[in-house]
Structure formats: C-alpha cells, structure tokens
Amino acid sequence: MKYHLECIGCEAQYPPTEIVYVCKRCGDLLDVRYDYDILRESVDTSLWKARPISVWRYEELLPLDKASVKVSLGEGGTSLHRSVRLAESLGLKRLHVKNEGENPTGSFKDRGMTVGVSKAVEIGAKKVVCASTGNTSASLAAYAAKAGLECIVLIPSQKIALGKLAQAVVYGANVLQIEGSFDDALRAAMELAQSKTGLYLLNSINPYRLEGQKTLAYEVWDQLGGRAPDKILVPVGNAGNISAIWKGFQDLNQLGLISNLPRMIGIQAEGASPIAEAFRRGLSKIKPVPNPETVATAIRIGSPASWKKALRVVRDSKGLMETVADAEILEAQKLLARLEGIFVEPASASSIAGLKKLVEVGAVSCEEEVICVTTGHGLKDPEVVERFCEKPITVEADQNSIKRALSLNS
Ligand code: F0G
C-alpha cells in the first residue's frame, strides 16, 4: 500500500479505509505517511511538466485511489509574484508572494478541499461538515456542491467576514451560527462527526485535506525552477497550513528533488497567538487564549487544533513564530495592494507584516530569498476596508469641483 494514517504521538497506524480523525489510542493528530520507495518509482517529473500547474499535477503524491473521481474546480496553479517594489521598500532583494487568493473560492482552502472532498466521495460519504472562521466553509460548500454532497457548516456567531458567509450561503450549505467562538464551533463539529451522524469532517485535522494543501510547496519548487527558497512566511490560525507546506517540502526532499529545506516562519495576530507565545517562551505545549481578538478574523483562533504539528515544524525547519499587531496587519494590507497590486484579506497580510517586522530586527536578511504566502482574497472582507481606509469624497459633477478636489490646475 502506498500510504497509511499514523499518529504523530504514539505512532499507531490506521489503514486508509478507516474513517478516523484523531488517534483512537492517545487522541493525538494523524498524518498521512507514504512508502517513499513506492513513490520514487511512480513519480516522473517529466509527466508533471506535461500537466498544467495545479494541485493535480502532482497526483502521484496524493492519497487517492487512481480510479477515484476528482472533485475539481481548477484549484492551485496560483501565481508566484516576483514582488520587486515591495522588496525594495522592505530592503530585500528576492521576494515573492504566493497569492492563494487566486484559487476558485478565493483562498488556499481549495487545495485541501479538492483532495478532502474527493476522499469523501471515494469512501461513500453523503454529507460533509466543518467549523470555520469563513474560508473553510466557503470552500467546502463549493466542493460539496460540485460533488452533490450535503454540506453543513458551523461558524462563530460573530465576526465572520461578509463575503465568506455569502459564499457558503449561495453554494447552498446549511449554515449554522454557533453562539461562541471558532474553537467552540470546531469542538461541536468534531463531536457531530464522531457521533454516528454519517457526517464526514473536513476541518484541517482531517489529514487528507492537508495533503492537498502541501501542493503549495510543490508549486513553489516548480515555479522557482526546482529549488526551495530560504524562508517562507505563513499566516497561522489553526496551524494546519504551515504543517502541510512543510510536509510538501519534506516529500520533495525524500524523493531527492531538493537538497535544501526552507525555514518555516509562522505569523499569528497578537490577540490570537498561543503558538507564537509557546515558541517565544520555549514551552512544549500551548496555553489556549480564552477570548482571541484580532481584525484578521480568519485567524481569530485561541486553541489551534494543529498546534503540536506547528511547533514541530518551526523547530525542525529551524524557523520561528512571530506575532503582529492589528495596526501592522492593516498597514501591510495597504502596502501590498499599493506596491504590488495584490489585494488580500487581513489574515493574509499578516505574512507581509511579519516579514517587515523580522527584516527590521535582522531575523531576515537582504540576501535571502523569501516567500510570503497570502492566503485569501481581499474582496472576502470589504468591511475592513470600509472601516480602515480613506473614504471617497463626493463632489458635484462639474469640472471645477472635480479639479479642485484633485488639486489639478488648468
Ligand atoms: N489565512 C486565511 C485567510 C485563513 O482563512 C486561515 C484559516 C488561515 C490563514 C490560517 O490557516 O488555520 O491552516 O493555520 N482559516 C480557517 C477557516 C480556520 O475556518 O477558514 P491555518
């Protein structure tokens, strides 16, 4: 068999046919583990080159049966933008932005959902469920619609960006607002999935979803012409994505396709930063934040499910975790938009804000090749722009008024 599920704590193994989200023995998270000898035989990079750049270019490295239906909306293949003007303003030479907002529903979640929902179909699930700060629900709702599955999403009753809620509703999901935080909603979703309701859970504790998300690393390797960068900055909430991206680079390394591994840098918002706090204090466990608060609602998470994976990733990759304040996030959002023409939602801008901070303290140097992952599209959260950006002024429809307003002489 090409792969199995394995507990990251006690290393208990489970066959792919078993529906299990956390280890039945010790309750820890699971990972998909491959037999790299089998993979080495099936991977042919010239075959990859003949396929369009996308999640499915790398299908030999994904945990699905060959014959399975692939539920796809054209995910992955997002641009790696060489960001010269932003680099100059930060004092860097080689900076790229991997803009995940270019995915079908506007966030990186689509990479995970194409694989996760394909898996749901493969195992015969008819209903899927997730808890979400917004993007996961938008993405799951879309892929469930494509596959003809019933979709239930649990969202915190407040502070979910309007665009994301609109997406889940219009794709036809059954949306429940839970009185409480994202952490409460996730607990409820996990209990639902584990209580014989027939609901298949597609949060990022589902290891198959993270397999889709790891393809970001493969694409970066492809887009850089077959190498890894020195450092990658990733916004961190529930901490699935940073773990997935690291796994992608490790796969490439195991297959002999890269010799250098990037340092992984996770960025959390100051008011929701239990992992960064544990990293800073050298602790092996996080202390959940009871009332997380940040303008970056996508990462407003006090008890991240995959904290253990994330702490391992930053330790193993010799990376780090950093925090950024809301004001720094909002400033970075504008900076990226105005210097590079890339509009991202606040959570995504945290990677840019984190980079600025780390360059200032000398933790990232100008010679290094750096990638910032921006995770979601700016149009998902227009309210934040309305609240924090300049408002347009209204003038009469005559030339004099317009010129006066624009300080144009003639
Ligand atoms: N950026 C955006 C735009 C997100 O939506 C999320 C997570 C993250 C970053 C953090 O990724 O959780 O893998 O560390 N959003 C989840 C959701 C929680 O429900 O949409 P992570």
Side-chain angles (χ1 to χ4, degrees):
M1 202 176 300
K2 163 171 119 167
Y3 67 92
H4 63 268
L5 297 178
E6 194 170 300
C7 171
I8 68 162
C10 72
E11 297 179 3
Q13 296 191 1
Y14 302 91
T17 43
E18 189 166 343
I19 300 177
V20 54
Y21 306 107
V22 289
C23 182
K24 289 197 287 192
R25 217 155 72 185
C26 71
D28 224 329
L29 297 166
L30 302 174
D31 241 351
V32 177
R33 288 286 160 88
Y34 294 88
D35 181 332
Y36 284 104
D37 290 333
I38 298 181
L39 284 192
R40 259 178 231 116
E41 273 168 33
S42 58
V43 166
D44 174 356
T45 53
S46 61
L47 205 67
W48 288 356
K49 294 256 176 300
R51 301 175 186 153
I53 185 162
S54 74
V55 168
W56 295 103
R57 170 181 268 194
Y58 315 97
E59 69 174 293
E60 292 80 9
L61 303 183
L62 295 173
L64 281 172
D65 287 346
K66 242 193 153 23
S68 291
V69 176
K70 295 179 184 72
V71 184
S72 173
L73 292 167
E75 50 293 317
T78 57
S79 308
L80 185 68
H81 297 273
R82 182 83 200 258
S83 301
V84 177
R85 276 164 43 82
L86 180 61
E88 266 172 25
S89 90
L90 299 178
L92 294 174
K93 289 189 182 141
R94 287 176 301 160
L95 170 63
H96 310 262
V97 171
K98 180 70 170 160
N99 186 20
E100 291 290 281
E102 295 169 26
N103 274 297
T105 76
S107 85
F108 71 98
K109 306 285 181 181
D110 297 342
R111 289 184 188 277
M113 286 308 173
T114 186
V115 174
V117 173
S118 299
K119 188 53 124 183
V121 173
E122 186 180 286
I123 62 174
K126 299 282 178 264
K127 300 179 202 169
V128 288
V129 65
C130 73
S132 180
T133 56
N135 282 321
T136 297
S137 57
S139 182
L140 180 59
Y143 283 83
K146 177 79 179 172
L149 303 179
E150 196 180 315
C151 177
I152 293 158
V153 305
L154 309 183
I155 55 172
S157 56
Q158 286 169 357
K159 308 233 168 131
I160 159 161
L162 194 61
K164 303 173 189 179
L165 182 58
Q167 286 180 291
V169 170
V170 90
Y171 291 130
N174 195 343
V175 180
L176 283 190
Q177 294 200 318
I178 301 293
E179 283 177 17
S181 65
F182 167 80
D183 304 301
D184 298 316
L186 181 57
R187 210 172 308 118
M190 284 172 69
E191 279 167 20
L192 269 180
Q194 284 167 330
S195 61
K196 297 198 168 57
T197 47
L199 292 171
Y200 187 62
L201 181 69
L202 275 162
N203 276 101
S204 59
I205 62 156
N206 182 322
Y208 294 114
R209 234 195 72 188
L210 295 187
E211 291 302 296
Q213 288 173 213
K214 76 180 180 180
T215 58
L216 184 143
Y218 306 159
E219 287 185 9
V220 163
W221 163 81
D222 245 342
Q223 289 168 318
L224 288 180
R227 60 168 205 279
D230 296 309
K231 288 183 174 149
I232 297 203
L233 287 88
V234 186
V236 170
N238 223 13
N241 205 30
I242 191 168
S243 320
I245 295 170
W246 174 241
K247 190 158 189 273
F249 282 110
Q250 281 182 308
D251 285 350
L252 294 172
N253 189 241
Q254 288 287 338
L255 294 169
L257 295 170
I258 47 168
S259 47
N260 68 314
L261 286 164
R263 291 182 188 228
M264 303 298 299
I265 301 183
I267 309 294
Q268 291 199 293
E270 240 169 51
S273 55
I275 306 176
E277 186 59 18
F279 176 79
R280 195 177 62 78
R281 297 173 57 193
L283 305 177
S284 58
K285 270 194 177 141
I286 62 155
K287 196 163 158 278
V289 173
N291 297 305
E293 202 43 81
T294 166
V295 69
T297 54
I299 52 174
R300 189 169 163 263
I301 296 174
S303 183
S306 295
W307 64 267
K308 201 186 235 182
K309 285 188 178 178
L311 277 180
R312 275 189 195 176
V313 166
V314 287
R315 194 188 58 211
D316 292 352
S317 73
K318 302 189 175 60
L320 57 94
M321 292 288 308
E322 185 52 276
T323 60
V324 286
D326 279 1
E328 293 171 312
I329 291 175
L330 293 168
E331 186 199 330
Q333 184 189 36
K334 277 195 225 169
L335 202 65
L336 181 63
R338 290 171 191 194
L339 293 180
E340 297 296 338
I342 300 173
F343 179 27
V344 301
E345 65 166 288
S348 308
S350 66
S351 61
I352 310 289
L355 177 60
K356 186 165 186 285
K357 191 166 174 181
L358 292 171
V359 171
E360 279 162 12
V361 299
V364 173
S365 81
C366 68
E367 294 305 324
E368 288 175 315
E369 181 163 46
V370 180
I371 290 182
C372 282
V373 178
T374 54
T375 41
H377 201 288
L379 286 175
K380 294 214 173 228
D381 193 357
E383 282 166 315
V384 89
V385 178
E386 220 182 0
R387 267 171 64 205
F388 296 106
C389 287
E390 312 79 4
K391 308 249 176 315
I393 50 174
T394 306
V395 295
E396 283 171 33
D398 69 80
Q399 285 291 303
N400 282 342
S401 313
I402 294 171
K403 283 180 182 161
R404 207 176 315 118
L406 295 172
S407 309
L408 293 173
N409 311 315
S410 74

